Amino acid sequence: QLLALSAMSRLRTLSRCSGRLAARIAAGAAASALVNARRSTLAESPSVSVPGVDERLPPPAKLDDPEYNAAVLERWREHVRQAREAWQRKDMPAAEAQLKQALEAAGHFGGSSAPMATSLLNMAQFYRRANRQADAEPLLLRAADVLDQTAGPYNKVTVIALVDLAKTQLELGKAASAADGFEDALERMHQAISSSEDGHTALVPMRPAVLLLAARAQQKMGQEGEAEARLRLAVGLLSEQWGPESPRLIVPYDALG
């Protein structure tokens, strides 16, 4: 259970975090973000294949109109809300359709906007939950790139996207890419924890799980020594957080053999 994360719970967390950025765009307060959005539309961004979505979206319109932006943002939020409700009643086709419509609405703000990042993450989480990792991977690649620009490289949401990308690659049998991704995420965690009390609070609990995943990727590559070092570090961190007798230590001890 240490490695298990609720996809829809995290979807709501990601939506709230990125949603605050999106609200600033819609209100017209983030003028620079609107300029960036005009320069970097979805059509100009790296290709993201989303089944059933027309990728030939028109350029953003009325980016300098706060009222119009607010209306588009509200429509986007409504699609996200309906997708969540469809998920809760286990109507997967309806959830997917609403997420695709949210992605199209997010295109109004440009390919490097907060709504776009959130929609990419939401769709990726949906596909991961549906065991459609091949569909999730390109979305996570794009989302991580956008979040680097909007939320920052050391933001918790950005790091989560990188971890989910690496997990997806590991599940697709791309152990080398996954190992690189976990290494990147761990380095960002280290930088955030070292430089920010907020980063410490948000990211410290994530480190043991990411270390375990990184060890798994290294084991698949035959790097047993490196994997063992990761596992022992995870054991040490978990012992500090939960005590040496915590059942949370079962997984890393079992992996150590």
Side-chain angles (χ1 to χ4, degrees):
Q1 294 182 347
L2 178 63
L3 300 180
L5 294 172
S6 168
M8 289 310 295
S9 174
R10 293 168 60 195
L11 184 154
R12 291 193 293 269
T13 300
L14 294 169
S15 296
R16 287 196 298 269
C17 293
S18 295
R20 289 193 291 269
L21 294 170
R24 291 200 294 271
I25 294 175
S32 62
L34 296 179
V35 171
N36 290 336
R38 183 179 287 110
R39 292 176 179 171
S40 179
T41 65
L42 182 60
E44 295 168 344
S45 302
S47 175
V48 175
S49 177
V50 182
V53 173
D54 185 356
E55 298 176 18
R56 296 168 296 176
L57 296 177
K62 299 186 179 181
L63 283 172
D64 57 350
D65 185 338
E67 291 184 4
Y68 184 80
N69 292 334
V72 175
L73 184 65
E74 184 57 34
R75 184 167 70 250
W76 171 76
R77 285 174 170 163
E78 178 63 18
H79 287 309
V80 174
R81 184 187 66 79
Q82 291 189 26
R84 186 179 301 122
E85 292 180 354
W87 175 272
Q88 291 170 347
R89 64 177 184 267
K90 303 186 186 304
D91 186 348
M92 299 302 102
E96 183 174 9
Q98 289 295 329
L99 289 173
K100 288 176 179 177
Q101 290 182 62
L103 183 63
E104 290 185 7
H108 164 76
F109 298 102
S112 295
S113 66
M116 179 60 71
T118 302
S119 284
L120 291 167
L121 285 171
N122 287 350
M123 287 223 67
Q125 292 295 342
F126 175 86
Y127 287 140
R128 278 184 50 78
R129 189 71 170 174
N131 292 319
R132 293 168 59 179
Q133 278 77 4
D135 290 328
E137 183 185 16
L139 296 171
L140 288 166
L141 280 165
R142 179 66 183 128
D145 180 62
V146 174
L147 286 166
D148 259 341
Q149 304 171 46
T150 58
Y154 307 117
N155 184 275
K156 181 179 180 180
V157 180
T158 306
V159 175
I160 288 175
L162 289 169
V163 172
D164 282 345
L165 172 60
K167 286 170 62 178
T168 300
Q169 291 170 330
L170 185 60
E171 292 160 358
L172 288 170
K174 302 178 180 180
S177 296
D180 289 343
F182 290 131
E183 180 65 28
D184 185 13
L186 287 166
E187 177 59 29
R188 292 180 191 226
M189 288 181 185
H190 174 73
Q191 293 292 334
I193 291 167
S194 299
S195 61
S196 167
E197 184 63 29
D198 289 340
H200 181 276
T201 301
L203 296 173
V204 162
M206 294 174 55
R207 290 184 70 197
V210 178
L211 285 165
L212 292 174
L213 289 164
R216 186 180 301 171
Q218 289 169 324
Q219 286 173 334
K220 287 185 177 295
M221 297 169 63
Q223 299 175 352
E224 295 296 336
E226 293 87 341
E228 181 178 348
R230 297 287 194 196
L231 291 169
R232 294 193 181 281
L233 180 55
V235 167
L237 292 173
L238 288 168
S239 296
E240 291 177 7
Q241 291 178 30
W242 303 102
E245 304 301 323
S246 171
R248 296 171 185 265
L249 293 168
I250 294 174
V251 172
Y253 276 136
D254 183 63
L256 282 168

